Amino acid sequence: MKTSIATVSLSGTLGEKLEAIAAAKFDAVEIFESDLVTYSGPPADVRKACGELGLDIVTLQPFRDFEGMPAGQRERAFARAERKFDVMHELGTDLLMICSNVSPESLGGIDRAAADLHELGERAARRGLRIAFEALAWGQHINDYRDAWEAVRRADHPAVGLVLDSFHILARGTDLSTIRSIPGDRIFLVQLADAPKLQMDYLSWSRHFRNFPGQGELPVLDFMKALQATRYDDALSLEIFNDQFRSGSAHSVAIDGHRSLRFMFDQLGTGTIDLPPRARPEGVSFIEFAADDQDAPRLEMLLSGLGFRRAGQHRSKAVTRWTQGDINFVVNREKEGFAHSFNLVHGSAVCALGLEVANAARTFERATLLLDQPFHQPVGPGELDIPAVRGVGGSLIYFLDKASDLGRVWDIEFAQTEFGQAEFDQAGDAGHETGLTRVDHISQSMQYDEMLSWLLFYTSLIDLNKVPVQEVADPGGLVRSQVIEADDGALRFVLNASQSQRTQSSRFLSELFGSGVQHIAFATDDLLATVARLERNGVKLLQIPENYYDDLEAKTDLTPDQLMTFRNHNILYDREGAAEYLQVYTQTFEQRFFFEIVERRGYRGYGAANAPVRLAAQARLSTDAP
Ligand code: MG
Ligand code: MG
């Protein structure tokens, strides 16, 4: 199917929109009338620009308040349509899209609408043009695609066809089975949009909250499956009214749009481009910190306190590996290359994540086909070329697997440091380790309007599921929190964003000069034992206020002993049925980054009930800071 997007979906002037749409590799475009009206040149210039960019124009839209008008107004509606036909000739498109009438003056009746469509079809056909009819969810008389189809069917004219718009159909929860019986050649255009489930009037919901397929909660795939039964094979056009998209970068929104279509075709098994399957995540291979010479020793001291041991030195670079359990940290203090430039912009921060997948090369291939941004830098002698793409905030995501040499990266690129495990044990400090076993989850903070974009990035590439969004109270405002996780918990991300400038999530963005990893949670099998060792190692944990424990006492049946232990060691606790969750946080490193340690006793969540307590405790510390 031909991929298309409506100009209304993007920011910028019409010229900028068309360039962004072409750059994102769409086949076609829907020209929204207001973009044409505000364009500085004649419609013929738009035709020329589209021609040069290789974009077909699938339709001019919308044509409003046409069918069922009473006498007098009816003639004017036809005269308006004739003027649109003139514009379409200049523009070089043969299809006019008509949405169902919302005027209170319009008259109902399918036959009346059909007669009007028939007559306009006659007039269009005389000029070699076609018209297509869409039921708006808030249409005065026709607000259901089944009625629009009945009007088109009764109009019985080859130049009159139907528009199916997934939003109008799915928002009303209209039964999809009728779609299957519509002949594909009577459908002239299909518009696609997803949206979050919201309780509001259809018009406001549609005009402000639509998003790309896969970003919302509507059953767009079910709609597509019904459409497949019709054998429709023409343009599939994204028509997305979204306030954030219209203020964002036209280029990146257009790429997100095309990525959403490719991902959708992939899920339906109908793509013309064959994508390797979504990557099955097997865990986090490593977390890379870019640190300058001043911060690196402090960071390494913290890692050491957390029980990591220095396990390797890169053979040719100022890069050290720290490890514990299945966790690997890489501290990069190189003075050139990616990590260094990242450090110059952001200061000491996580600059890359290494993800273990079943097949790294195939994952990279899928990423490329999903229009993700590949990353390459020169590889030194004896180094592996680890496939990578750009992730949140310009950081990198590397893909590793066990099947190739990538699984031996530590042996190939790193020399064991003199202070190996044997010496480590001999030093009589076997108790140094704190029992951290693996990365439990990675929390990334980002701009509010980036969230849907990264949600799509992760879920289209990796086999991760989204969990319903949570709103968490920070003393500075609300934080929106989106979890995406693997079924088996092998990989979990928490994406956070806030519209308030005063939340911790937003302060992090200004401290870091951009989006990025704000905290990493490690798993332990025994949090109490881990905390005892952390305290012995001198790691400072975030202080939790007394009131939290009084509240915990009131709402749980924890024993006085358990409560005393949690209180004494700043442990947060949550319970879901019989499942329990224990958490502690380190104090914040360099005012912005911190670690969390969790013990899951059958618990699947993230302690959302405790998040406001943690955020308030961190806010108190940051205001107390000199
Ligand atoms: Mg529409
Ligand atoms: Mg967490």
Side-chain angles (χ1 to χ4, degrees):
M1 271 183 269
K2 205 190 295 187
T3 57
S4 170
I5 185 168
T7 53
V8 72
S9 315
L10 304 177
S11 67
T13 63
L14 182 55
E16 290 163 348
K17 293 177 188 212
L18 294 176
E19 277 181 27
I21 291 166
K25 301 187 161 96
F26 281 94
D27 303 315
V29 61
E30 282 180 58
I31 301 289
F32 211 72
E33 191 175 41
S34 59
D35 279 315
L36 193 61
V37 171
T38 56
Y39 187 66
S40 52
D45 285 3
V46 177
R47 171 190 205 148
K48 189 160 166 274
C50 287
E52 283 166 6
L53 291 165
L55 292 171
D56 287 350
I57 300 176
V58 293
T59 190
L60 172 68
Q61 69 123 323
F63 188 62
R64 298 184 196 279
D65 296 338
F66 166 71
E67 88 283 4
M69 280 310 210
Q73 294 190 52
R74 182 172 187 275
E75 288 67 43
R76 281 205 293 282
F78 278 91
R80 274 197 296 127
E82 292 283 357
R83 284 204 300 279
K84 292 295 168 223
F85 292 163
D86 297 338
V87 174
M88 287 162 64
H89 270 295
E90 275 197 75
L91 194 58
T93 182
D94 76 336
L95 187 65
L96 181 68
M97 203 206 95
I98 302 170
C99 9
S100 59
N101 206 324
V102 299
S103 166
E105 291 165 79
S106 66
L107 306 169
I110 297 280
D111 281 329
R112 186 190 306 272
D116 287 348
L117 289 171
H118 181 92
E119 184 175 338
L120 193 61
E122 254 323 281
R123 295 189 188 205
R126 260 180 250 139
R127 305 177 63 165
L129 304 175
R130 300 176 301 149
I131 61 171
F133 187 51
E134 172 192 65
L136 291 177
W138 56 92
Q140 182 75 12
H141 298 287
I142 294 182
N143 49 39
D144 182 317
Y145 80 93
R146 293 169 296 194
D147 291 337
W149 164 232
E150 189 55 22
V152 166
R153 202 183 61 78
R154 291 190 202 177
D156 191 23
H157 195 287
V160 180
L162 182 68
V163 180
L164 292 177
D165 179 319
S166 65
F167 178 86
H168 294 302
I169 296 169
L170 300 174
R172 295 185 72 102
T174 316
D175 181 65
L176 298 172
S177 55
T178 302
I179 292 177
R180 297 175 175 271
S181 60
I182 304 173
D185 60 0
R186 305 313 322 282
I187 303 169
F188 284 3
L189 180 65
V190 172
Q191 294 180 317
L192 271 188
D194 200 341
K197 283 199 174 132
L198 299 170
Q199 294 299 324
M200 63 169 64
D201 66 283
Y202 296 126
L203 176 61
S204 314
W205 189 10
S206 174
R207 289 283 162 81
H208 303 284
F209 297 98
R210 288 182 177 219
N211 53 31
F212 292 129
Q215 290 181 326
E217 297 168 299
L218 299 180
V220 178
L221 288 178
D222 292 344
F223 168 83
M224 284 302 299
K225 283 176 193 154
L227 182 70
Q228 279 179 306
T230 71
R231 309 208 169 181
Y232 171 81
D233 192 28
D234 210 328
L236 210 50
S237 193
L238 298 165
E239 187 195 31
I240 316 294
F241 304 88
N242 181 300
D243 299 351
Q244 291 163 36
F245 292 5
R246 289 173 83 168
S247 60
S249 143
H251 271 268
S252 55
V253 171
I255 285 177
D256 283 355
H258 201 165
R259 176 178 301 129
S260 77
L261 285 182
R262 287 199 178 173
F263 179 35
M264 189 188 72
F265 291 142
D266 175 53
Q267 288 169 290
L268 293 165
T270 59
T272 44
I273 299 164
D274 224 354
L275 302 182
R278 283 207 296 175
R280 186 163 50 79
E282 294 180 356
V284 177
S285 303
F286 65 84
I287 292 158
E288 180 172 350
F289 260 85
D292 58 32
D293 287 340
Q294 210 187 350
D295 288 342
R298 284 204 292 264
L299 176 64
E300 294 187 331
M301 208 162 83
L302 176 58
L303 289 176
S304 172
L306 286 167
F308 288 84
R309 71 190 168 82
R310 204 179 136 121
Q313 176 67 44
H314 194 277
R315 295 187 197 279
S316 58
K317 289 179 173 166
V319 176
T320 44
R321 171 194 176 202
W322 293 75
T323 187
Q324 177 174 199
D326 288 336
I327 313 161
N328 289 292
F329 259 97
V330 169
V331 179
N332 188 327
R333 41 209 298 192
E334 279 284 289
K335 293 291 175 280
E336 55 187 50
F338 169 76
H340 181 63
S341 36
F342 193 90
N343 180 265
L344 288 179
V345 178
H346 301 286
S348 296
V350 174
C351 65
L353 298 172
L355 302 185
E356 189 176 325
V357 292
N359 187 318
R362 298 269 286 162
T363 303
F364 180 74
E365 188 191 341
R366 180 176 173 93
T368 311
L369 293 172
L370 284 169
L371 310 175
D372 298 342
Q373 208 184 328
F375 172 84
H376 297 284
Q377 75 177 350
V379 173
E383 279 179 14
L384 293 165
D385 191 4
I386 310 179
V389 294
R390 292 278 180 178
V392 172
S395 65
L396 298 182
I397 294 189
Y398 288 105
F399 305 114
L400 296 96
D401 59 31
K402 286 205 185 78
S404 68
D405 269 354
L406 296 171
R408 299 193 300 119
V409 60
W410 308 121
D411 298 335
I412 295 172
E413 290 202 6
F414 287 76
Q416 293 283 323
T417 46
E418 285 170 27
F419 202 59
Q421 182 64 56
E423 294 86 344
F424 194 85
D425 292 342
Q426 272 169 21
D429 199 11
H432 176 85
E433 293 210 356
T434 62
L436 307 185
T437 56
R438 55 186 294 272
V439 173
D440 184 88
H441 62 270
I442 295 170
S443 157
Q444 295 184 308
S445 282
M446 55 195 62
Q447 304 289 349
Y448 194 82
D449 58 10
E450 287 182 282
M451 222 165 157
L452 286 175
S453 187
W454 292 114
L455 171 70
L456 179 64
F457 166 81
Y458 283 121
T459 53
S460 59
L461 180 61
I462 308 171
D463 192 1
L464 297 170
N465 306 315
K466 57 182 175 182
V467 165
V469 168
Q470 303 241 21
E471 303 278 355
V472 178
D474 177 288
L478 282 182
V479 176
R480 198 174 162 83
S481 189
Q482 168 77 67
V483 169
I484 42 178
E485 57 183 16
D487 276 339
D488 61 359
L491 184 63
R492 301 182 180 102
F493 286 101
V494 182
L495 313 182
N496 292 315
S498 172
Q499 283 179 310
S500 158
Q501 294 309 304
R502 296 188 301 116
T503 57
Q504 194 203 111
S505 171
S506 295
R507 286 198 310 271
F508 168 82
L509 297 184
S510 51
E511 289 276 344
L512 188 79
F513 298 106
S515 310
V517 173
Q518 192 189 17
H519 89 256
I520 291 169
F522 301 121
T524 172
D525 296 332
D526 183 349
L527 189 77
L528 294 179
T530 294
V531 167
R533 297 211 172 158
L534 290 173
E535 286 168 351
R536 214 174 70 196
N537 291 350
V539 174
K540 289 203 169 57
L541 296 179
L542 181 70
Q543 299 273 324
I544 304 303
E546 286 290 315
N547 291 344
Y548 171 77
Y549 296 99
D550 295 341
D551 184 47
L552 203 57
E553 183 170 13
K555 68 184 187 193
T556 62
D557 54 1
L558 292 169
T559 66
D561 272 2
Q562 285 173 310
L563 274 166
M564 180 66 78
T565 307
F566 292 170
R567 192 188 294 260
N568 288 345
H569 300 284
N570 296 294
I571 295 169
L572 295 162
Y573 175 85
D574 192 25
R575 158 174 275 178
E576 278 173 4
E580 295 177 298
Y581 193 50
L582 277 64
Q583 314 164 262
V584 292
Y585 291 91
T586 66
Q587 290 187 7
T588 307
F589 177 73
E590 300 298 301
Q591 287 287 313
R592 58 189 198 198
F593 182 85
F594 56 93
F595 295 102
E596 175 185 3
I597 299 158
V598 305
E599 180 187 341
R600 293 180 181 273
R601 298 175 179 167
Y603 180 97
R604 301 273 322 225
Y606 297 81
N610 292 328
V613 178
R614 183 259 294 179
L615 288 164
Q618 287 173 324
R620 202 172 302 122
L621 274 181
S622 83
T623 22
D624 291 351

